[in-house]
Amino acid sequence: MTATDTATPLLAHLIELRRRLLHSLLALGLAFLALLPLANPLYHWLATPLLAVLPSGSQMIATQVATPFTIPLKLALFAALLLALPFLLYQLWAFIAPGLYQHERRRVLPLLVVSCGLFALGMTFAYLAVFPAMFGFFTQTAPEGVQVATDMAHYLDFVLGLLFAFGVAFQVPVAVWLLCWSGVTTAQQLAAKRTYMVVASFVVGMLLTPPDILSQTLLALPLCLLFELGLLMGRLYSRPRPGWLAIPDEDG
C-alpha cells in the first residue's frame, strides 16, 4: 500500500468531519437566532422559581453595566445548544456509524436516545421539584435585616451548574447498563451492593442540594429508582459473553 493510498481514506474522513462540523455549527447558529428574540422571556422563566419565593418588595439585581444584556444572551446560547442537541448528536452518529459493527450500531443509537432523554428528565426534575424547595429554603433562612437581592449573573451560573449536575446524575441507568454489558460487573453483583448505592444517593443529594432533608430526599429517591432501572436494563440486555473486548464472529 502506497502513501497515497493511505492518505486518501484519511483525507476523506477529514472532509466528512469538516462537513459534519459545519452542519452542526449552522444548526446551532440557526437555533440561537431563533431564540434570540426570546432571550429576556427565557431568563424570566428560568428565574421564576426564585422570584416566586422572594420576600415582598425584593427583586433580582444586576451589578455590572452590561449584565442585563449579556446574561440573557448567554442563556439563549445555552438553550440553543439544548434545542440543537438532537441534530448535533445525529451528526456525531452519522460520522462514527460507518466504522461500527452492526451489533454496535444497534446498541449505541438507542443508548444516545435514552441518554438524551434522561438528561432532559434530570433538568426538568431539577426545575420543577428541586428549585422551588431549594430557593424557598434559602430565602427563609436569611438573617434578620438582610435583604435577599440575587445578582442575575450569579443566579444563571448557579442554576446552569445545577441543571447540568442533575442531567449528569440522571445518567445512572446508562452507566449501570454499560457496566453490565461490558462485562465489568453483573446486575446481580450490583444488586448485592444496593445499600451502598442508597448511601451514595443521599451523599450526592447532600452535595448538590441545600442542607435540608427535603431537598436531599428529592434527589436521592430518583437516583435510587434510576439505579433499579439500570439493574433491570442490565439483566435484560447484558452481553452474553464476558469481557468488553470480545468481538462477535458475525455482525448480528
Side-chain angles (χ1 to χ4, degrees):
M1 180 179 295
T2 65
T4 304
D5 296 332
T6 305
T8 301
L10 177 60
L11 181 61
H13 284 304
L14 291 177
I15 293 174
E16 177 67 10
L17 177 61
R18 183 186 66 174
R19 188 169 73 91
R20 297 296 177 184
L21 289 175
L22 289 176
H23 288 173
S24 299
L25 290 175
L26 179 61
L28 182 59
L30 291 176
F32 178 70
L33 290 177
L35 293 175
L36 193 56
L38 303 175
N40 286 338
L42 277 174
Y43 188 89
H44 183 268
W45 173 79
L46 188 65
T48 298
L50 176 62
L51 295 175
V53 296
L54 283 177
S56 178
S58 297
Q59 58 184 356
M60 300 181 71
I61 61 173
T63 58
Q64 301 294 327
V65 175
T67 296
F69 173 74
T70 59
I71 293 304
L73 289 184
K74 180 179 178 181
L75 176 59
L77 181 60
F78 179 79
L81 179 61
L82 293 179
L83 182 63
L85 187 60
F87 182 79
L88 300 182
L89 290 176
Y90 169 76
Q91 295 299 314
L92 175 63
W93 167 254
F95 179 73
I96 66 174
L100 298 177
Y101 291 101
Q102 181 66 28
H103 73 283
E104 292 174 331
R105 288 198 292 268
R106 287 202 303 264
R107 288 176 173 86
V108 172
L109 183 57
L111 188 65
L112 287 176
V113 174
V114 171
S115 181
C116 289
L118 289 172
F119 193 88
L121 181 62
M123 292 193 300
T124 303
F125 177 79
Y127 179 83
L128 295 178
V130 178
F131 285 1
M134 177 186 301
F135 296 137
F137 173 81
F138 284 156
T139 55
Q140 291 172 6
T141 55
E144 185 178 354
V146 175
Q147 180 179 0
V148 179
T150 305
D151 177 65
M152 62 181 300
H154 292 163
Y155 175 82
L156 181 63
D157 292 339
F158 178 78
V159 166
L160 291 185
L162 278 179
L163 289 174
F164 181 78
F166 272 80
V168 172
F170 270 57
Q171 302 300 309
V172 169
V174 175
V176 171
W177 178 80
L178 285 175
L179 289 174
C180 296
W181 179 77
S182 63
V184 173
T185 184
T186 65
Q188 291 74 20
Q189 291 173 335
L190 289 175
K193 298 178 174 60
R194 185 178 283 110
T195 304
Y196 298 101
M197 181 59 195
V198 173
V199 174
S201 298
F202 277 92
V203 170
V204 171
M206 179 184 65
L207 295 176
L208 295 183
T209 61
D212 65 289
I213 189 63
L214 175 61
S215 299
Q216 294 174 12
T217 305
L218 283 175
L219 178 58
L221 287 181
L223 287 181
C224 293
L225 294 176
L226 290 169
F227 177 73
E228 296 297 330
L229 176 61
L231 290 180
L232 178 62
M233 293 170 58
R235 292 189 180 98
L236 295 177
Y237 303 108
S238 292
R239 175 176 291 191
R241 292 181 296 278
W244 67 277
L245 288 176
I247 301 177
D249 297 332
E250 301 178 358
D251 284 345

